[in-house]
Amino acid sequence: MRFFVTTMAPERRNSTSRTAQRLAPFGTSIFGEVTWLAQDRGAINLGQGFPDFEGPPELADAAFRAMRDGHNQYARPMGAVPLALAISKQVERDHGLHRDPLTDVCVTSGATEAIAAALLGTLDPGDAVLTFEPFYDSYPAITALAGARFDTVPLHFPDFRIDFERLRSKVTPETKILLLNAPHNPTGRVFDDEELESLAAICIEHDLVAVCDDVYEHLWFDGARHRPLASLPGMGERTITISSTGKTFSMTGWKIGWAHGSARLVASVFAAHQFLTFATAHPLQHAMAYALETFDGPWLQRLRDEYEQRRQCLLDGLARSGFTAARPSGSYFVMARHDAFFDAADDPAEPDVAIARRLIERTGVAAIPPSSFYREAVSEGRRLLRFAFCKRIETLQAAMDRLAKGL
Ligand SMILES: Cc1ncc(COP(=O)(O)O)c(C=O)c1O
């Protein structure tokens, strides 16, 4: 990460920086930096997880319709009623969870805001958040903004299973939130029933609130179906479940997300949301209500089928070039060991960053160096790269050809 920070954003390292101390350790997000370098060098960007294809064209029509129908002023702060209704129906249909659309759902500006509102709305200074590493990069930053402590349990390459002994040893009287991302970015894990049942038992035993980031809820493969932690016995009342339409409908730029849970927990999310954004883009909420109502079962299955082909294309290409990849059963990321490409000229302190840089410069393919997503097992993160397969098959094939030639 340091390479990108010094190269691309020298002003951020200036000692006269006015950035708040709580945020200073987080520097500049690795996503922006890799995207910048990839654009500058004309690389194919398999770094940041945004599709290079469009979502259903009907959604743009639905958004225009909503604008023409006059949904252009502030939306209801908890979410436009048609979207809150569509979310509650989807959650009931897919997971058998009953959520009152008017009290148990809060629409946010993407899952990112829902994560922020869930943590800021429930944490007090001195509380602790327990999650897994590698983690999504906003988790520690928002925890720090809340003045809380961030603790992690590593998931180890290549099977990334939860070590429950380790998890139990990290629960302290200060632990208030168990933060779970499932299906998991970047490991691609879809946690199995045994793991979910043990997680539920720990939450109940220690009276933890589970904050579940389920943005990849519809992307699972090889029969490893995603089961939300909230749907386990005793968990519906103590879980805030977060999702968004960015990943499912390939519209990451629309930033429509939500949190659902018991009315009591959603009130805490709303307590922060009302001061973060107050309300979310109104016409897009109507379009997303239309999306959730219209594109269900068979459409979602087709989405998964297409993603399975993309996943295979990436896995085959990485193997051909000498990477050792873990086969993901969910999300749209692959973690791969890069040992074969490390050479003495690379920075031994940050090999993942050095190799990500070399990939962009020499092969024209960008991937994310994941060590900044680790706290404890940083040395493991430094041996890996994260590739995204939310790209057209032609893009993935071109990237794999470039890797094979360039390496
Ligand atoms: C695990 C995880 N959570 C949250 C988000 C953010 O979602 P949104 O774009 O809806 O804010 C992402 C996006 O990459 C993600 O991977």
Side-chain angles (χ1 to χ4, degrees), residues 344-366:
D346 286 328
D347 177 359
E350 292 187 309
D352 59 327
V353 174
I355 288 175
R357 175 188 176 199
R358 187 140 54 85
L359 278 193
I360 294 175
E361 301 285 0
R362 292 202 201 150
T363 71
V365 175

Side-chain angles (χ1 to χ4, degrees), residues 34-55:
V34 169
T35 300
W36 183 91
L37 195 60
Q39 276 170 2
D40 192 60
R41 306 293 197 273
I44 298 175
N45 190 352
L46 304 187
Q48 196 176 3
F50 60 86
D52 69 344
F53 47 87
E54 292 293 323

Side-chain angles (χ1 to χ4, degrees), residues 75 97 145 147 155 185 196 205 242 258 260 265 273 277 279 288 306 316 323 333 356 390 395 397 399:
L97 273 170
L145 284 181
L155 302 170
N185 165 14
L196 293 173
E205 182 185 334
I242 290 166
W258 58 83
H260 65 78
L265 285 177
H273 165 73
T277 55
M288 284 305 171
E306 286 167 7
D316 291 345
F323 287 95
F333 300 106
C390 47
T395 308
Q397 274 163 350

Side-chain angles (χ1 to χ4, degrees), residues 224-268:
R225 193 188 175 98
H226 165 66
R227 183 180 172 205
L229 190 59
S231 66
L232 272 79
M235 292 304 294
E237 287 306 293
R238 61 172 64 250
T239 303
I240 298 170
T241 305
I242 290 166
S243 191
S244 78
T245 48
K247 317 292 172 184
T248 308
F249 295 107
S250 309
M251 299 283 207
T252 57
W254 281 27
K255 297 295 284 185
I256 302 292
W258 58 83
H260 65 78
S262 63
R264 190 173 62 110
L265 285 177
V266 170
S268 304

Side-chain angles (χ1 to χ4, degrees), residues 45-85:
N45 190 352
L46 304 187
Q48 196 176 3
F50 60 86
D52 69 344
F53 47 87
E54 292 293 323
E58 298 94 316
L59 296 199
D61 296 338
F64 284 134
R65 213 163 42 240
M67 288 178 200
R68 278 196 304 265
D69 288 349
H71 297 296
N72 297 307
Q73 306 306 329
Y74 291 127
R76 173 179 170 266
M78 286 273 275
V81 171
L83 180 55
L85 255 172

Side-chain angles (χ1 to χ4, degrees), residues 116-137:
L119 298 188
L120 292 169
T122 54
L123 290 169
D124 284 308
D127 288 340
V129 172
L130 184 53
T131 191
F132 300 95
E133 63 174 57
F135 44 74
Y136 184 59
D137 70 343

Side-chain angles (χ1 to χ4, degrees), residues 280-291:
T280 295
H282 197 172
L284 301 187
Q285 290 194 52
H286 282 268
M288 284 305 171
Y290 168 82

